[in-house]
Amino acid sequence: MTAGVVVLLRDPRGIAGEFTRRPAAVSVTVVVVFLGLVALYCRALQRTLAVVRPDARTVAPASVWWMFAVPFNFAEDFFIVRNVTGSLAADGRIPARAVGRWSALGYGWCGLQIVSLFPGAIGYAGGSLALPVWAAHWYLTSRLNRTLG
């Protein structure tokens, strides 16, 4: 999967081309803001794992920061969602249905993120859908964190 991501990232018709066609200041600003949001999201996921009972954790809380390991992160994000899902399920304090919703949204934004790398209308559609699904997942993550406390 990572090899395919690298190919898509290098395609000048895709996201890489979008950044080269914009003024440098705009591209840098977009990347910095986006990475800042990703860092806040990672912090929320780290908190989720930190408040899960230690014996229920499938990975260390800091493992969510692999989300920054480009280009591996595109595949790694699926594993992060899987690991947090497994930890939440093993903890048992969140109803299975809520964990399932959280997991489905997580896998949804991961998949749409991959689609967003494709050139043209498909990529735009994937990115346009990925962002609100990611935001919804982040919102659910924050709610779970308050519940787990």
Side-chain angles (χ1 to χ4, degrees):
M1 178 186 239
T2 300
V5 167
V6 170
V7 169
L8 290 171
L9 283 172
R10 295 181 55 107
D11 188 331
R13 299 166 301 156
I15 191 120
E18 287 298 319
F19 285 105
T20 60
R21 289 189 289 275
R22 306 278 180 248
V26 171
S27 293
V28 168
T29 300
V30 168
V31 169
V32 167
V33 168
F34 181 72
L35 292 178
L37 291 171
V38 172
L40 292 172
Y41 176 69
C42 283
R43 192 172 73 179
L45 290 176
Q46 183 176 8
R47 170 125 175 87
T48 303
L49 285 171
V51 296
V52 162
R53 286 189 343 266
D55 63 313
R57 290 183 200 138
T58 60
V59 293
S63 68
V64 300
W65 293 93
W66 281 106
M67 206 169 280
F68 278 95
V70 177
F72 305 105
N73 65 313
F74 291 92
E76 182 63 28
D77 292 346
F78 288 95
F79 293 102
I80 291 169
V81 170
R82 183 192 70 193
N83 290 333
V84 176
T85 297
S87 298
L88 287 168
D91 183 82
R93 291 183 287 162
I94 301 295
R97 188 172 169 168
V99 173
R101 251 189 326 271
W102 185 91
S103 179
L105 275 173
Y107 288 128
W109 77 255
C110 289
L112 289 165
Q113 166 184 248
I114 298 293
V115 174
S116 77
L117 299 176
F118 283 86
I122 292 172
Y124 283 114
S128 296
L129 293 171
L131 291 173
V133 175
W134 179 47
H137 190 255
W138 193 350
Y139 173 76
L140 278 183
T141 300
S142 297
R143 284 186 55 200
L144 290 177
N145 288 348
R146 283 192 298 277
T147 300
L148 293 169

